[in-house]
Amino acid sequence: MTGSPSPFLALPGAVALETSPGVAGHYGEPMIEQRRLERGEAIVDLSDRGLVVVTGPDRLSWMHSMASQSFTGLRPGEGIEALLLDASGRVEHAVHAVDDGESVWLIVEGDEAAPLAAWLDRMRFMLRVEVADRTADLAVIAAMSADALDAAVAAYAPAGVALDWFDPWAEPRPGGHQYAAAAGHPGADWRWIERIVERAALADAAASVRSGRVAAAGALAAEALRIAAWRPRLATEVDEKTIPHEVDWLRSAVDLGKGCYKGQETVAKVLNLGRPPRRLVLLHLDGSDTVLPVPGDEVVGEKVRPEPAEGEAPERKVVGHVTSSAMHHELGPIALALVKRAVPADLPLIVERHGVEVAAAQVEIVPADAGAAVEVPRLPRLGVRKP
């Protein structure tokens, strides 16, 4: 990140985001901002994101060899989402990639840009690629419609191709796999676009808001809509143990038919033979105490014993933790949480926050009974003769 505050923080009512003070969390009306963003009437300042560029004739084949998603054949202006995994299949980096025919541009979390650029630079060997961290001079704004972005500022286009990244989350990508039930998936309404702009142009985008050409929504509005769409994010849903299956990331960021890459064995094994160790759920929270849990808060399962003694309290056990939370303009208080695979879908849950117990009803994203995606043929036992 650049460390300098965004011009959007000078807009009327702007309140800095607590977890990233360089951008606005809201402008005084979080619920109204959500509705405007959802209708495609507002833009979001994401200038706390990072930008890494890979240039050179070998860029696509090189990225293809390391990432979970296919980069070969990527056309100018086409965007994809990809993960970089460790040898055990755990998520290390997530990139929103768009190619312009000369370079592939990677939008990442702000604190990921420098380490990702350094790691990629070490992996170049003799290939014809160059890697650079462009966070200092480029930034990102986002919206749910191209019209809102166009009303604010033009996209950066050094090769004549607008650098807009269209989020593929709206539907399962070819070559991927979805654990969540297809019917009624809220991601179908997720029309997220991230636009790369020159950092100096952020002032023009803020001026567009002041003039009334477009509205501004804070980062909290974007987070609320993201959570409601069951959309995972590296900065929130990922810890040191996360594999893509646990957050249903095979839906948009993994091509199961591509060749070798680090972590591929785990991806294939968990998909074909096992079950994800943990699973992502949406929590509908009781808002009567006006307490909104925060990431890291424990999720507790409450199980009534078959024959409890008189006055005996239900058995309780920590079964997971909150990863993201928000106050949604229609759904009320909601959260995403990672819970243990074996937690029953109908188990009453409680989130503990500052001594307050918040009741939570779970909606399965990755189902508790998510099993093998393919049938594996059983090998005959040695010494057993077929009839």
Side-chain angles (χ1 to χ4, degrees):
M1 290 187 291
T2 64
S4 58
S6 166
F8 280 73
L9 284 172
L11 292 174
V15 176
L17 184 65
E18 186 175 337
T19 55
S20 185
V23 297
H26 64 85
Y27 300 92
E29 301 175 315
M31 298 300 160
I32 294 176
E33 293 166 29
Q34 282 184 43
R35 295 186 184 98
R36 288 173 177 163
L37 183 60
E38 194 172 50
R39 292 196 300 263
E41 300 170 356
I43 59 173
V44 181
D45 173 23
L46 296 183
S47 58
D48 58 343
R49 297 293 200 268
L51 266 300
V52 175
V53 60
V54 179
T55 304
D58 295 333
R59 67 190 183 282
L60 294 180
S61 59
W62 181 58
M63 289 297 300
H64 181 86
S65 69
M66 298 183 291
S68 65
Q69 188 59 268
S70 175
F71 277 77
T72 57
L74 196 62
R75 299 183 301 274
E78 183 181 0
I80 56 173
E81 180 180 32
L83 307 174
L84 296 170
L85 311 175
D86 69 10
S88 299
R90 299 184 179 97
V91 178
E92 292 192 320
H93 300 282
V95 301
H96 299 170
V98 58
D99 191 76
D100 64 6
E102 296 180 0
S103 305
V104 59
W105 301 83
L106 309 176
I107 302 172
V108 297
E109 302 288 349
D111 58 0
E112 289 289 306
L116 175 60
W119 182 80
L120 289 174
D121 196 56
R122 292 195 300 270
M123 298 298 292
R124 289 187 302 130
F125 304 113
M126 299 298 291
L127 294 172
R128 298 169 297 169
V129 292
E130 297 293 334
V131 179
D133 181 352
R134 296 288 302 275
T135 308
D137 61 303
L138 297 176
V140 179
I141 61 173
M144 295 287 274
S145 79
D147 289 343
L149 292 169
D150 291 340
V153 64
Y156 185 55
V161 176
L163 295 180
D164 284 340
W165 181 78
F166 293 83
D167 194 336
W169 186 250
E171 58 185 19
R173 186 173 173 86
H177 175 78
Q178 176 175 305
Y179 282 108
H185 196 296
D189 297 324
W190 182 249
R191 305 176 306 278
W192 191 246
I193 307 168
E194 294 178 355
R195 172 168 290 185
I196 299 175
V197 301
E198 293 182 274
R199 191 164 288 273
L202 288 175
D204 296 332
S208 298
V209 175
R210 287 196 183 90
S211 68
R213 292 198 298 272
V214 68
L220 293 179
E223 280 295 278
L225 299 185
R226 179 188 68 81
I227 292 169
W230 304 352
R231 213 284 181 239
R233 179 183 169 192
L234 181 77
T236 51
E237 276 62 62
V238 174
D239 59 23
E240 71 281 356
K241 299 184 295 183
T242 305
I243 61 174
H245 317 64
E246 296 178 324
V247 296
D248 212 13
W249 232 338
L250 303 186
R251 170 187 171 93
S252 61
V254 177
D255 182 349
L256 297 169
K258 76 177 292 286
C260 243
Y261 59 92
K262 190 164 66 171
Q264 183 191 19
E265 288 186 6
T266 297
V267 170
K269 181 179 179 179
V270 175
L271 177 68
N272 295 336
L273 299 178
R275 296 177 177 178
R278 301 176 296 176
R279 58 188 187 85
L280 191 67
V281 298
L282 177 77
L283 298 180
H284 287 281
L285 303 167
D286 179 8
S288 57
D289 290 315
T290 65
V291 173
L292 186 65
V294 300
D297 283 350
E298 291 181 340
V299 178
V300 176
E302 184 171 87
K303 184 178 181 180
V304 179
R305 294 181 176 89
E307 296 182 3
E310 185 176 350
E312 185 179 18
E315 180 183 357
R316 290 185 173 183
K317 186 177 182 180
V318 175
V319 297
H321 67 276
V322 170
T323 61
S324 306
S325 62
M327 184 67 69
H328 191 272
H329 70 96
E330 288 183 341
L331 303 176
I334 56 174
L336 292 176
L338 274 171
V339 300
K340 295 178 181 178
R341 179 185 68 201
V343 174
D346 58 351
L347 181 69
L349 298 178
I350 293 171
V351 180
E352 298 181 343
R353 176 65 180 162
H354 289 323
V356 178
E357 296 183 349
V358 181
Q362 61 170 308
V363 176
E364 288 187 308
I365 298 175
V366 177
D369 61 354
V374 298
E375 291 294 332
V376 180
R378 299 185 65 180
L379 298 177
R381 293 171 58 189
L382 293 176
V384 176
R385 300 178 61 182
K386 292 184 178 180

